[in-house]
Structure formats: C-alpha cells, structure tokens
Amino acid sequence: MLDSVKIAKRQSEIRQAIAPLAGKTNPTEDEVRQMGDLDREYSTNETRYRAALIAEDTERREAGADLETRSGKEWADLMGRFEVRQIVHALDTGKMLSGQTAEIVTELRNRGSFQGMPVPLAALEQRAGETTSGGITYPGQLYATVARLFPASVAAKMGAATINVDVGDVWIPVTSSSVTAGWAGEADNVPGPVPYTEETRTLKPDHNLGVHMRITRNALKYSGQTLEQSIRSDMLGTIGAELDKAVFLGTGVDGQPLGVITGAADYGITEQAVSAAASWSAFRAAVVAFMTGNAAAAASDVLALIRPEVWSKLDDTLIAGTAVSEWDRLTGNIPAGNIAMSANALAAPAASATTALLTTAAGGIPPITVGIWGAIDVIRDPFSDAQSGGLRLTALTTVDVAVARPAQLRVLTGVQI
C-alpha cells in the first residue's frame, strides 16, 4: 500500500478517536493528554502526507517517462507478458484487463484508432521455444502528413464580412432615398422634404456546400496521430477554396449562391469595359469613379482583385524611356497589401482578356457580406465502407452572399494581357 494511503487512513482514525473527546464538557486529565497527543500526531501526519504525495508523484513521472522512452527491445520484453486470453475474456464477459496486457492495449489505443480490442501482431506470432533477437527494431518512422496545396483565400482580403446565422433569413436594410438641399431667398421656401425609403438585401439559407471525404483503413493505420490534423487541413482548405470561388463566380443555380462578378448585373454593380492592355490608367479610371461617387476618399482605400497574368503584364510593361513599370505605378497609388491575386476567384482568361474587381469599404460597411448558418455539420456514414473497414465523412455548411451597396464594387472587363 502507498504511504500516502496509509497516512490518509490513519488521519481518518485520529478524527474518529478525537471526535468523542472533543465533545466532552469536563474531560479528565488523561483525556486532555490523549487529545494533545492525537492533535500532535495529526499535525505531523499532515506534513508526512504532503511529502509522500511529492515522492509518489516523482515516481509516477519517472515510470511514465520510462514507458514513453521504452526501446524496441524493452517493448519486445513487455510483449512477452501479453495475455491473449484476457482479450478473449474482455470481449466475452466484459472483464477488465490488468497488468502488462492492459498497459499495452492502452498504449495501442493512444497510437491508433480501433473499433474493437487491439491485439499486437507480435503477441500472435510468439511460439513456444522461439527466441527474439535482441536490440532489433523496425526502421520505419512516422512524420507529419504532407498536406495538399490549396489556393489562398481572398474573400476576406477583398473586404468581405462573414456573419454567423443561427436560423432563418437575414435582412440588411439599405437607404435608397436621396436627401435634397437647396438655398432659398427671403420669404421663399426651401426644397420640400423627400420621404426616407429603404431597400432590403436578404441572405437566405438556400445554398448548401458539401465536402465528402473517404478515409481508407490504410490511412487510419498509417497516419496515426497526424490523421486529425490532416482531416482538419483538408476539410478547411477545400471549403475555403470553394467558398472563395462561389463568392465571386457563383452561378446562382445548382445550389450555388450568386457571385458578385457573375451576378454584377443582378446586384447593380457597374461593369467598366477596359478593352485595352492592363495598365494603371485603366484602374485609375475606376478609382476616380469610386471617389466621385463618395465611396472612397483616396486610391489607398481601394482593394483590387486580379489574376496573376495581369500582374505579369503590368510588371512587364515599362513606361517609355524609364525603368518604371505599370505595376510600379499601380502599387504607388494602391498599396501592394490591398491587391489580391487569385486564379481561383477569377475566371481563366478568354481571348487574351480577363476580369478584375475593385472594392472599397465605405462608412465601415463591407462591400460583400457572406452569411454562414450555424457550424459545419460533420456526418459519418458507417455503412458504405463497412466491408473494407473505411470511414466516410460528409461536411455540410449553408452559405449565401449579399451586396449591400453596389457602389462599393466595380468590375473591370476586357483587361487584356
């Protein structure tokens, strides 16, 4: 028995012995002396109890460290004490595992995923009279899973705001009336009042994005502790890439939300036909339109989304007689941090021409609003791959896109590269 347990038991006995003595109104000298002895012993045991806990904690840590750093040879020695009959009894009657068998099963469960009771293969391979070569370990090493590549997210960089919705629709009211002002002379009336009106932008939970993952039994066994990180990375990257594409290029049909570029006419977003080579002057015209429409106060307030081919064209075009490129002129007015490049959020060039998008956050209002309903719903399908021992997961999320003020966005078409 552990010392701490023995001391705790003795402390309980002391409390039981001292309780009736403490309740006496006129204790005798022997009883007073007995209470003093018990009190001194109790105080001493408190110190001994704390010391015992510290010593036993150190022993536990050393034992745990010894288990974690156990070499292959020591693991093989431990495997020699594994009892398969305990596994049989546990499956048959639910009897608890004990000894080295319980220790090995616990360590195997920490390393991998098992629906039943894990039995090490080495325990089944042992035969009477066989010996195991000492100091020989399997040379395989487990590294972190190498994740796949996903396009960088640009929706947030373009000023899109994400709101989380519990249930139902979301209405975004936008002022649609204009206030008039005018001067009046003596005894004249000022211009009459204009009724205040609003328009409503609605986010509806009508668009569901699904990510389907099929995890084979081999992946479950090979990946080990890195499997959870790999699944999170894959799921997050896939959802992020598809959301980016839908926010800008969503068709509005087949379950997709209507993207701001594809649905520019429906949202009332101005489409400016450049029909010329990519240059700072083409972007400058759109920036001027923002400034004259009170959507931006300076070029530095504007965010730009372009394809990598546009950057290549701008960087390769030098101003005559100088070493300054069109890209230098663009970043001299629109900071490079305000420019996002993506081959996922913008359609591929057609006939050597592509599209660009400019946005700005006027009055703190985001140019694009993305509504996400609830959390990602991960559903397990335990039946489809039951025969192969695989696992199928489906992640569902409901999303919609809305534009509050079309004046905060501008689509540039026909940007030649």
Side-chain angles (χ1 to χ4, degrees), residues 2 7 14 24 31 34 39 55 129 147 151 189 200 226 243 294 300 335 370 380 390:
L2 295 175
I7 296 172
I14 293 174
K24 290 189 176 182
E31 291 172 339
Q34 185 180 0
D39 180 64
N189 294 329
T200 302
T226 66
L243 277 181
N294 300 320
S300 58
V370 180
R380 179 191 176 190

Side-chain angles (χ1 to χ4, degrees), residues 2-18:
L2 295 175
D3 289 339
S4 61
V5 178
K6 294 178 181 178
I7 296 172
K9 185 177 179 181
R10 176 55 185 163
Q11 294 293 77
S12 177
E13 293 174 353
I14 293 174
R15 287 193 294 270
Q16 291 178 357
I18 205 172

